[in-house]
Amino acid sequence: MSLFGNSNEVVINVDGGYAPSSFKLKAGKPAKVTFKRTSDKGCTQQVIFNGETRDLPLNTPVSFEFVPEAGEHQFTCGMQMVKGSYTVK
């Protein structure tokens, strides 16, 4: 689980999987989740996060900025084989 200080910002390293693969965010507080793909392993060239599909170019951060809603949420690779999740309270 990863929260950096009191902020609602998380950086996820993508190397054939997600690290961290699960994390927590605070409900109602603007959040920024950044994916950085560092390897060509697996099927992680895309991510589906909050219903939006984005390409993950190598070594290029891709960020999602949003206001999280309470609950359990999943994200996956483009093929929906590699999975992660986040909890919002």
Side-chain angles (χ1 to χ4, degrees), residues 8 25-30 67-71 87-89:
N8 240 7
L25 295 174
K26 295 177 184 174
K29 182 178 179 183
V67 177
E69 295 180 12
T87 302
V88 181
K89 293 185 179 182

Side-chain angles (χ1 to χ4, degrees), residues 13-84:
N13 184 49
V14 182
D15 184 6
Y18 301 116
S21 62
S22 65
F23 55 91
K24 293 180 183 179
L25 295 174
K26 295 177 184 174
K29 182 178 179 183
K32 181 177 180 181
V33 177
T34 302
F35 291 83
K36 186 171 181 187
R37 184 166 66 100
T38 58
S39 165
D40 247 351
K41 294 179 188 173
C43 59
T44 55
Q45 292 84 10
Q46 288 185 323
V47 65
I48 303 171
F49 187 85
N50 290 346
E52 186 177 343
T53 302
R54 291 201 195 162
D55 291 334
L56 297 178
L58 271 175
N59 300 312
T60 303
V62 174
S63 296
F64 293 82
E65 294 186 36
F66 61 104
V67 177
E69 295 180 12
E72 297 283 332
H73 307 273
Q74 284 198 332
F75 55 94
T76 69
C77 68
M79 296 178 69
Q80 299 182 5
M81 295 175 70
V82 179
K83 299 180 181 187

